[in-house]
Amino acid sequence: MRLRNKPWAKDKIAAYPQYVIPNPEQYKGRWNELFGNDHPIHIEIGTGKGRFITEMAKAHPDVNYIGIELYKSVIVSALDKLIENDLPNLRLLNVNAKDLMNIFAKGEVERIYLNFSDPWPKKRHEKRRLTYKTFLELYENILVDEGEIHFKTDNQGLFEYSLVSFSQYGLVLQNVSLDLHNSDFEGNIMTEYEQKFAEKGNRIYRCEAKYRKPMQ
Amino acid sequence: MRLRNKPWAKDKIAAYPQYVIPNPEQYKGRWNELFGNDHPIHIEIGTGKGRFITEMAKAHPDVNYIGIELYKSVIVSALDKLIENDLPNLRLLNVNAKDLMNIFAKGEVERIYLNFSDPWPKKRHEKRRLTYKTFLELYENILVDEGEIHFKTDNQGLFEYSLVSFSQYGLVLQNVSLDLHNSDFEGNIMTEYEQKFAEKGNRIYRCEAKYRKPMQ
């Protein structure tokens, strides 16, 4: 998405440390203390303006959600939604996905959502795609055994790439949909981008990829 | 495809035993003797009217092709093409795919083509789909180690199903294309059906699925 410079974003984020957690490394291995319960934790990497994660948190009060977004100028929109809704089961992190292992302990996350991630279409940028093998390895190090990635995109090339990448890493595909909005998938919550794009009549691709049970 | 009754088909097939091999079980483990060389063997299951396999055999003289088709009224069209072209590296079998293990020894086939297989869309017919797990097991029993299935279809539901089925069986996906005719895939040979369908502007889906190296 096009980023607008919002010089005030930094101060606003700093003003709401109860929602956008500063120094999240301090909660590594004890996020459930922060939430005050033992509900499973689902994270969204690249949470953007936060509609998806906010609606998910409203719809599933028995799941704890953490939205992760690198860009301050974007995460402030997610923060606005959280201020408005004051959801006890949703928190935001203004960090780089590369640092996830410093923030979550192995097995602390049950599910990862990747929605409309940057496709990085140039081959030389392959390593930046959030479904590249080094990211799949990183996710494995914070997910529970048999944890899942739930992935949506409108980008055909990124979807093709990701199916292969998941498969080559050894993940098992589930619920592949090549036209999500014309499928029988229930309970889909659209991101801001997804709605805009789907209104043009274009296809949304979706799949789930599950890590295999580790060998004993 | 709609089948027309062709009462003469049986006699025609019987008249060309050098092309449509009778009692193919007799060649199990020694198909290369029939071809008179040690070239790899690629088979197409559901070869239909034979355009794909005939063109492949012309384009790749260093590969031996076997087209398998259950319906006599259909395979006669493939036979006509073979009579016309007299290709030494192409033979046809009028058998049921279920009997493949009686016809080929383990490791005798290098690659399997599945083109526009019957989608069997009803859940209760799942077991008939040529990408159902019992078929994947059957293929494994005739393929070389790390053998491949090359799969094309216009049927979105069958493609979604097959990606999951391949993945759950432990096959590794390669070269997934969600719009083959608008991709950079080179050397695509269209089936009769594919051309007709693509001319309507619809999408062709394609992927390769590779068996993993067996554990030592």
Side-chain angles (χ1 to χ4, degrees), chain A residues 199-212:
Chain A
E199 280 168 1
K200 294 185 194 168
N202 290 330
R203 288 195 192 199
I204 306 297
Y205 304 99
R206 182 183 180 280
C207 74
E208 300 164 11
K210 185 173 181 169
Y211 287 83
R212 283 171 202 273

Side-chain angles (χ1 to χ4, degrees), chain B residues 32 35-42 52-66 85-91 110 113 189:
Chain B
N32 284 335
F35 285 109
N37 59 50
D38 284 326
H39 296 168
I41 293 173
H42 294 185
F52 176 84
I53 201 95
T54 306
E55 296 301 316
M56 289 295 276
K58 282 191 212 170
H60 305 284
D62 52 346
V63 173
N64 295 324
Y65 291 91
I66 298 175
N85 291 280
D86 189 29
L87 296 160
N89 63 328
L90 173 59
R91 292 297 176 263
E110 191 190 66
Y113 288 99
I189 288 181

Side-chain angles (χ1 to χ4, degrees), chain A residues 4-16 19-20 47-50 54 69-84 92-94 192:
Chain A
R4 290 178 207 190
N5 190 25
K6 297 181 184 172
W8 45 268
K10 191 179 169 186
D11 290 342
K12 179 153 188 183
I13 290 165
Y16 290 93
Y19 291 142
V20 185
T47 214
K49 295 181 180 172
T54 306
E69 174 56 50
L70 179 61
Y71 296 107
K72 289 185 169 54
S73 59
V74 179
I75 202 173
V76 286
S77 299
L79 174 57
D80 281 340
K81 292 183 180 71
L82 186 47
I83 293 169
E84 192 186 322
L92 301 170
L93 305 183
N94 179 217
E192 285 88 348

Side-chain angles (χ1 to χ4, degrees), chain B:
Chain B
M1 101 184 60
R2 186 158 159 257
L3 299 178
R4 290 178 205 189
N5 190 26
K6 297 180 183 171
W8 45 269
K10 190 178 170 188
D11 291 342
K12 179 153 187 183
I13 289 165
Y16 290 91
Q18 71 276 40
Y19 292 142
V20 187
I21 311 296
N23 306 315
E25 298 83 359
Q26 64 183 307
Y27 290 106
K28 180 174 176 174
R30 50 190 201 89
W31 281 96
N32 284 335
E33 290 178 26
L34 180 108
F35 285 109
N37 59 50
D38 284 326
H39 296 168
I41 293 173
H42 294 185
I43 69 176
E44 184 186 26
I45 302 176
T47 215
K49 294 181 182 173
R51 175 165 141 186
F52 176 84
I53 201 95
T54 306
E55 296 301 316
M56 289 295 276
K58 282 191 212 170
H60 305 284
D62 52 346
V63 173
N64 295 324
Y65 291 91
I66 298 175
I68 294 166
E69 174 58 50
L70 180 61
Y71 296 106
K72 289 186 170 51
S73 60
V74 179
I75 202 173
V76 286
S77 299
L79 174 56
D80 281 340
K81 291 184 181 72
L82 186 47
I83 293 168
E84 193 185 321
N85 291 280
D86 189 29
L87 296 160
N89 63 328
L90 173 59
R91 292 297 176 263
L92 301 169
L93 305 183
N94 178 217
V95 298
N96 192 317
K98 286 184 183 169
D99 299 323
L100 283 174
M101 276 175 66
N102 302 323
I103 296 169
F104 298 102
K106 168 68 188 162
E108 201 163 17
V109 176
E110 191 190 66
R111 186 181 295 173
I112 292 174
Y113 288 99
L114 300 176
N115 292 318
F116 302 89
S117 310
D118 193 323
W120 292 107
K122 289 179 183 160
K123 178 72 186 167
R124 68 188 159 90
H125 290 147
E126 179 188 0
K127 291 180 183 181
R128 300 185 190 181
R129 298 174 197 155
L130 287 178
T131 53
Y132 181 66
K133 61 185 176 186
T134 54
F135 280 106
L136 300 184
E137 193 181 349
L138 193 160
Y139 305 152
E140 188 169 20
N141 281 306
I142 63 168
L143 279 167
V144 296
D145 289 348
E146 301 183 271
E148 296 180 0
I149 300 169
H150 289 206
F151 178 53
K152 284 198 285 193
T153 181
D154 62 295
N155 189 284
Q156 183 190 324
L158 181 65
F159 197 70
E160 292 167 341
Y161 172 84
S162 301
L163 289 172
V164 171
S165 184
F166 290 147
S167 167
Q168 294 195 339
Y169 194 82
L171 279 72
V172 179
L173 299 172
Q174 303 176 149
N175 297 317
V176 173
S177 176
L178 302 178
D179 191 0
L180 180 64
H181 292 196
N182 293 303
S183 75
D184 53 8
F185 182 83
E186 289 178 9
N188 183 46
I189 288 181
M190 286 198 272
T191 74
E192 285 86 350
Y193 182 85
E194 181 175 357
Q195 179 159 24
K196 206 165 148 182
F197 190 81
E199 280 167 1
K200 294 185 194 167
N202 290 329
R203 287 196 194 200
I204 307 298
Y205 303 99
R206 182 183 180 282
C207 74
E208 299 164 12
K210 185 174 181 167
Y211 287 83
R212 283 171 204 272
K213 209 166 188 165
M215 301 270 184
Q216 295 305 324

